[in-house]
Amino acid sequence: MQSRRIGDVQVSAIGLGGMPMSIEGRPDEDRSIRTIHAALDAGVTLIDTADAYHIGADEVGHNESLIARALASYGGDTSGVLVATKGGHLRPGDGSWTVNSSPDYLKQACEASLKRLGVDAIGLYQHHRPDPRVPYADAIGAIRDLLDAGKIRMAGISNANPQQIREAREILGGRLVSVQNQFSPAFRSSEPGLELCTELGIAFLPWSPLGGIQAAGSLGGAFAEVAERHGVSPQRVCLAWHLAKSPVSIPIPGASRPETITDSAAADTLELTADDLAVLP
């Protein structure tokens, strides 16, 4: 698979988003493990997770632990796989999502993620979502401290606007390597963030790149037309569209079936023509 850069690490141009394997509607563990192994077989070397990807309050870090088990049980070499996780988002167990970006909490969350992933330093640790009760500078300052302490190898942010991207980059002393924002054909409000990341050379990781679980299965219009022309799925066309948007774009489609991530991973070989791009949004 083609590679793209996150900080000083080369990763696959298409990553794997782990969330669907741990939240509501998740499959059994066997299928999830097979999905992660299928991603690795297809050349995926970026896996995105978070401690908040779980259902019950008693299973924080479900997805991190799942990924750790999948990597440990894989028959091939996983030394080149970058696992990116996040802290600062919480699920109290009633179906809601809350936030906590206090520096003490972020540092505790990182320590817990280290243990679940079974590593000495997290490859990429990202601030999950701004907390209106905590100054952004304080939250990113905690990420900087984790970086300085060697608890994490690289630092990123998620759900951030251009002003926050610039602020985080300054606080981290130029060491901000990634921004993970929602971005898809149906959700374009992060376009200014993508443009800024392109300008600064920071990896942009679109989450829900197909528009979410419901939209992913019904991509139509121009995507369906281009897909028919190339004999591939509309979803594969959509991911190729992301790659064509910017050299820093690394989409991380979620998956819970081996065949889904196998199809997604093939998007890097789909060369969209100028005529294709002209009809896509």
Side-chain angles (χ1 to χ4, degrees), residues 130-155:
D131 181 346
R133 300 166 303 174
V134 178
Y136 198 63
D138 292 353
I140 304 306
I143 304 296
R144 178 198 58 213
D145 292 347
L146 291 168
L147 193 57
D148 290 342
K151 299 288 185 179
I152 63 177
R153 286 199 59 247
M154 297 186 293

Side-chain angles (χ1 to χ4, degrees), residues 10-67:
Q10 293 292 125
V11 299
S12 54
I14 303 292
L16 168 65
M19 186 173 76
M21 291 180 272
S22 290
I23 63 167
E24 289 81 355
R26 67 192 183 197
D28 59 45
E29 181 163 315
D30 176 68
R31 196 175 90 190
S32 292
I33 297 288
R34 287 189 289 109
T35 299
I36 297 168
H37 287 179
L40 299 172
D41 288 343
V44 171
T45 59
L46 170 64
I47 302 177
D48 178 78
T49 183
D51 60 359
Y53 295 164
H54 63 90
I55 299 175
D58 60 344
E59 56 169 23
V60 175
H62 177 278
N63 198 245
E64 292 175 322
S65 299
L66 174 68
I67 288 167

Side-chain angles (χ1 to χ4, degrees), residues 127 130-131 134-141 157-158 160 164-165 167-168 171:
H127 176 245
D131 181 346
V134 178
Y136 198 63
D138 292 353
I140 304 306
I157 56 177
S158 184
Q164 291 165 332
I165 294 170
E167 183 178 1
I171 293 168

Side-chain angles (χ1 to χ4, degrees), residues 77-121:
D77 180 17
T78 60
S79 61
V81 176
L82 175 64
V83 176
T85 192
K86 300 180 286 295
H89 221 354
L90 299 86
R91 299 205 75 190
D94 60 359
S96 67
W97 297 75
T98 60
V99 290
N100 186 346
S101 287
S102 69
D104 286 346
Y105 175 76
L106 287 173
K107 292 175 182 180
Q108 292 169 10
C110 179
E111 291 287 353
S113 291
L114 277 165
K115 290 183 175 65
R116 285 189 290 266
L117 292 171
V119 295
D120 296 325

